[in-house]
Amino acid sequence: MWSYQHPGFSVYQLPALNDNYIYLIDVDNSDIMAAVDPADAAPVRKVCRELGKPLTHILNTHHHWDHTDGNKPLKSSFACQVVGAAGDAARIPEIDIEVSEESRLQLGGIDIRIIFVPGHTRGHIAFLLKDALFCGDTLFGGGCGRLFEGTPGEMWSSLSRLAALDDATQVYCAHEYTLANLRFARSVDPDNRDLDERISSDTRKRMAQLPTIPSTIGIERATNPFLRPADNEFCTRYATLHSIPTDALSVFTHLRASKDRA
Ligand code: ZN
Ligand code: FE
């Protein structure tokens, strides 16, 4: 487990299943302990027991089992409340609090902004607490989620909204896919110096069995090929090479399809 300090709360990062991360948000001076996307109940229970702080909330970014399988067992252990997208309530197991972008959600005095980011699934949401972004399977380190239920246009606009957040925003995504993503990134963005640096530093982290996550919005904007279509030069170069229109959406669509085939 790794932990990170934010103003007013701590984030604990728990590896789960093969390559998932579950996050615990421990709000200072309160009884609030929230789990983001509990793939599995066991590691969450263990940490709550060690810290002597029972789980009060579960925040689900989307309905996939590797993000929600812990809902039911955790609810029976802790009587915690499950927060999920109102538009996808039928598919979020045990949901108690249905939220949308307009919801004013607060946990222990910390404001939580809900960002609707469809694309991977049609009801996907992200949670922003101050400078901490919990984005599930929408934005990954060096990549983005597959388009299971959404269109490239929806995903591009979701990613663009996340990319517009402050550079220093910490990106707590739900999977450790970074190195594989960066291999693809290099193949489509070979002259990117920031990307070379990121590959060296993230490779070193993995060799030391450390997570590459969280990254930051600034790093993602500079190196993530699925955010790079916002850069005109990248767009023109990529579009010319593949003989496609030079607009960002066409380039994003082509990149996502190539990654699916890779
Ligand atoms: Zn998913
Ligand atoms: Fe997932």
Side-chain angles (χ1 to χ4, degrees):
M1 178 178 96
W2 296 274
S3 66
Y4 310 90
Q5 251 45 251
H6 288 270
F9 61 98
S10 300
V11 173
Y12 309 119
Q13 180 178 34
L14 285 52
L17 309 179
N18 272 336
D19 50 28
N20 278 71
Y21 289 126
I22 302 170
Y23 299 100
L24 286 179
I25 300 167
D26 181 359
V27 180
D28 298 350
N29 311 312
S30 80
D31 63 353
I32 301 292
M33 179 74 102
V36 181
D37 286 349
D40 184 8
V44 175
R45 268 197 210 106
K46 181 166 176 282
V47 173
C48 287
R49 205 181 305 123
E50 283 166 6
L51 297 170
K53 202 167 170 179
L55 194 71
T56 56
H57 295 82
I58 290 172
L59 309 180
N60 287 137
T61 62
H62 65 295
H63 75 277
H64 285 155
W65 67 270
D66 62 316
H67 300 253
T68 57
D69 259 14
N71 287 15
K72 200 179 164 111
L74 286 171
K75 243 176 115 163
S76 57
S77 303
F78 294 107
C80 53
Q81 293 208 292
V82 175
V83 180
D88 223 352
R91 299 195 295 178
I92 306 283
E94 308 280 319
I95 192 168
D96 298 294
I97 303 174
E98 301 184 15
V99 294
S100 61
E101 294 218 348
E102 291 71 43
S103 305
R104 290 277 157 268
L105 186 65
Q106 262 213 349
L107 290 185
I110 309 278
D111 280 316
I112 302 191
R113 193 179 140 201
I114 310 293
I115 310 176
F116 182 49
V117 285
H120 178 66
T121 66
R122 64 175 173 273
H124 203 301
I125 54 175
F127 300 94
L128 181 68
L129 287 76
K130 297 187 176 172
D131 61 341
L133 174 71
F134 299 90
C135 52
D137 288 357
T138 297
L139 176 63
F140 289 132
C144 74
R146 285 177 184 266
L147 305 180
F148 287 125
E149 299 175 1
T151 63
E154 284 171 323
M155 190 57 142
W156 174 242
S157 92
S158 295
L159 290 172
S160 301
R161 293 186 65 199
L162 299 183
L165 297 172
D166 208 78
D167 268 4
T169 307
Q170 302 293 301
V171 176
Y172 292 105
C173 62
H175 290 275
E176 178 62 64
Y177 289 160
T178 312
L179 290 189
N181 287 338
L182 294 180
R183 275 193 290 279
F184 172 77
R186 179 179 259 161
S187 74
V188 295
D189 197 8
D191 303 323
N192 186 334
R193 297 280 293 276
D194 295 328
L195 178 57
D196 289 340
E197 271 171 42
R198 182 176 187 181
I199 291 172
S200 322
S201 106
D202 283 350
T203 303
R204 258 182 271 119
K205 286 180 194 162
R206 293 310 288 154
M207 283 171 40
Q209 294 179 311
L210 296 172
T212 64
I213 304 300
S215 69
T216 66
I217 288 292
I219 291 170
E220 295 306 330
R221 201 186 299 119
T223 60
N224 189 319
F226 298 103
L227 302 186
R228 294 278 286 142
D231 180 286
N232 276 333
E233 238 176 82
F234 172 85
C235 243
T236 310
R237 204 177 333 113
Y238 187 90
T240 308
L241 184 64
H242 295 280
S243 311
I244 57 171
T246 54
D247 63 288
L249 177 56
S250 301
V251 170
F252 172 79
T253 305
H254 192 278
L255 280 164
R256 188 57 264 181
S258 316
K259 176 76 164 46
D260 289 343
R261 278 185 264 105

